[in-house]
Amino acid sequence: MSVSVQRTRAFIAACESGDIDRICALVAPDIFYHNIPMQPVNGLAAFRAGFATFLAMSDRIVWDTPLIAEAGNGAVLTERVDTFYLKNGKTLSVRVMGTFEFDAQGLLTKWRDYFDMAEFTSQMG
Amino acid sequence: MSVSVQRTRAFIAACESGDIDRICALVAPDIFYHNIPMQPVNGLAAFRAGFATFLAMSDRIVWDTPLIAEAGNGAVLTERVDTFYLKNGKTLSVRVMGTFEFDAQGLLTKWRDYFDMAEFTSQMG
């Protein structure tokens, strides 16, 4: 497994832990985070605030990642199913592909996730 | 470039040509084609009919593919911007990630594309 794939797996595991400190320790100060159907988020402070609020809705998080591959430039492409077991008793499961890019220190600098917004919102109900 | 990446590049080039015969020559009889926000399409006859209708709306098609990578099982993951210069004068541009899988004969057996349906429909107007 390449270093970039290892970093991506570690980042996904951190997301599944729901621990925002563990997650942010893997993220660069200049993170560019873009859920493609939404406005992008720039910088660690904004990332932390938004992502912490989102994660706090769940009791348990499972991101199944059957396919993961590193492109020539070190970017890592994933195909996933992200499942959130929400505190309100609902389960939210979204089919996603996403790209992860890291800086020389191994921190996440760019993250783009592609999914259908309606699949997300219809389950948030 | 791996054989599977070469096959994916050739398939994308065929799609850009808009030539449904050239495209279908690269596709397996049991193709499973899934635009994730829509119902999947099974089999070459249904694929050909639906895809030909879709392509026929465009004068010119450009699928920019800055990132492409092969996973351990031979599946190829792509990050793309698919642009369609429509015959009605509009331009349709959709941000997409997609996975391509091939059989032993090198034909496309599985294709899954992830995008936001609203981004597509809002440009179709």
Side-chain angles (χ1 to χ4, degrees), chain A residues 56-107:
Chain A
M57 293 190 304
S58 295
D59 274 327
R60 194 161 72 90
I61 297 166
V62 179
W63 288 9
D64 186 36
T65 309
L67 289 179
I68 187 163
E70 182 179 348
N73 69 343
V76 175
L77 288 72
T78 60
E79 185 173 1
R80 315 191 312 263
V81 179
D82 292 1
T83 301
F84 302 86
Y85 298 91
L86 302 180
K87 288 182 174 162
N88 67 9
K90 289 186 178 174
T91 300
L92 174 64
S93 194
V94 184
R95 298 166 292 183
V96 180
M97 285 185 78
T99 296
F100 300 81
E101 300 184 42
F102 301 88
D103 65 15
Q105 285 72 46
L107 298 175

Side-chain angles (χ1 to χ4, degrees), chain B residues 59-76:
Chain B
D59 275 326
R60 192 161 74 89
I61 297 166
V62 178
W63 289 9
D64 185 36
T65 308
L67 289 180
I68 186 164
E70 182 179 350
N73 69 342
V76 175

Side-chain angles (χ1 to χ4, degrees), chain B residues 37-53:
Chain B
M38 305 168 67
Q39 287 299 310
V41 173
N42 283 286
L44 186 53
F47 171 84
R48 183 186 179 98
F51 209 55
T53 303

Side-chain angles (χ1 to χ4, degrees), chain B residues 27-33 41-45 47 103 107-110:
Chain B
V27 175
D30 62 345
I31 177 73
F32 173 86
Y33 171 46
V41 173
N42 283 286
L44 186 53
F47 171 84
D103 65 15
L107 298 175
L108 184 67
T109 51
K110 291 180 186 160

Side-chain angles (χ1 to χ4, degrees), chain A residues 6-125:
Chain A
Q6 285 175 11
R7 287 170 177 160
T8 304
R9 292 263 187 217
F11 182 74
I12 289 172
C15 291
E16 291 179 306
S17 79
D19 179 344
I20 194 65
D21 289 329
R22 178 175 162 189
I23 294 166
C24 288
L26 304 175
V27 174
D30 63 343
I31 177 74
F32 174 86
Y33 170 47
H34 196 185
N35 280 317
I36 294 294
M38 304 167 69
Q39 287 300 310
V41 172
N42 283 286
L44 185 53
F47 171 83
R48 183 187 180 97
F51 209 55
T53 303
F54 178 64
L55 294 178
M57 293 190 304
S58 295
D59 274 327
R60 194 161 72 90
I61 297 166
V62 179
W63 288 9
D64 186 36
T65 309
L67 289 179
I68 187 163
E70 182 179 348
N73 69 343
V76 175
L77 288 72
T78 60
E79 185 173 1
R80 315 191 312 263
V81 179
D82 292 1
T83 301
F84 302 86
Y85 298 91
L86 302 180
K87 288 182 174 162
N88 67 9
K90 289 186 178 174
T91 300
L92 174 64
S93 194
V94 184
R95 298 166 292 183
V96 180
M97 285 185 78
T99 296
F100 300 81
E101 300 184 42
F102 301 88
D103 65 15
Q105 285 72 46
L107 298 175
L108 184 68
T109 52
K110 292 179 185 161
W111 176 14
R112 298 179 296 277
D113 265 357
Y114 294 70
F115 57 92
D116 184 45
M117 195 65 193
E119 181 174 337
F120 181 83
T121 52
S122 67
Q123 294 177 74
M124 288 295 284

Side-chain angles (χ1 to χ4, degrees), chain B residues 7-92:
Chain B
R7 286 170 176 160
T8 303
R9 292 263 187 217
F11 182 75
I12 289 172
C15 290
E16 290 180 307
S17 79
D19 179 343
I20 193 68
D21 289 330
R22 178 175 161 189
I23 295 164
C24 288
L26 304 176
V27 175
D30 62 345
I31 177 73
F32 173 86
Y33 171 46
H34 195 185
N35 280 318
I36 294 295
M38 305 168 67
Q39 287 299 310
V41 173
N42 283 286
L44 186 53
F47 171 84
R48 183 186 179 98
F51 209 55
T53 303
F54 178 64
L55 295 178
M57 293 190 303
S58 295
D59 275 326
R60 192 161 74 89
I61 297 166
V62 178
W63 289 9
D64 185 36
T65 308
L67 289 180
I68 186 164
E70 182 179 350
N73 69 342
V76 175
L77 288 74
T78 61
E79 185 173 0
R80 314 192 310 265
V81 179
D82 292 2
T83 302
F84 302 87
Y85 299 90
L86 301 180
K87 289 182 174 160
N88 68 8
K90 287 186 181 174
T91 300
L92 173 64

